[in-house]
Amino acid sequence: MITVKASQKIFTCEEVTNLTGICAGHLQNLAKRHRLGLISRTGTLENHAEQWLFTSQDLKVLAILFQPCTH
Ligand SMILES: [Zn+2]
């Protein structure tokens, strides 16, 4: 069971991996396949970074559908 602060609406990839036990690699695969989360792009064209962000609703769905990684 995952408990989060009600005030928190957006979670980073790192926070979601901590909360769900799903590793970052699997998390991104699952997010793409199930159209969960959103990608925030920051930086310049030459030096850009992608940051995966998840809403509390996405987090609930992930926690219900998927087990923590065991590898
Ligand atoms: Zn994994």
Side-chain angles (χ1 to χ4, degrees), residues 2-63:
I2 290 176
T3 54
V4 296
K5 279 179 281 182
S7 60
Q8 189 168 1
K9 294 282 188 280
I10 297 289
F11 299 84
T12 64
C13 188
E14 191 180 358
E15 288 172 322
V16 174
T17 60
N18 284 338
L19 287 164
T20 61
I22 302 169
C23 73
H26 277 129
L27 180 61
Q28 291 184 12
N29 282 343
L30 295 170
K32 281 179 194 159
R33 199 183 314 154
H34 296 274
R35 297 174 181 276
L36 296 166
L38 50 108
I39 301 173
S40 158
R41 289 189 176 83
T42 56
T44 63
L45 271 179
E46 294 79 34
N47 183 21
H48 67 96
E50 286 187 355
Q51 169 81 66
W52 279 84
L53 297 173
F54 297 87
T55 66
S56 51
Q57 187 61 40
D58 292 329
L59 186 59
K60 271 183 215 150
V61 173
L62 283 166

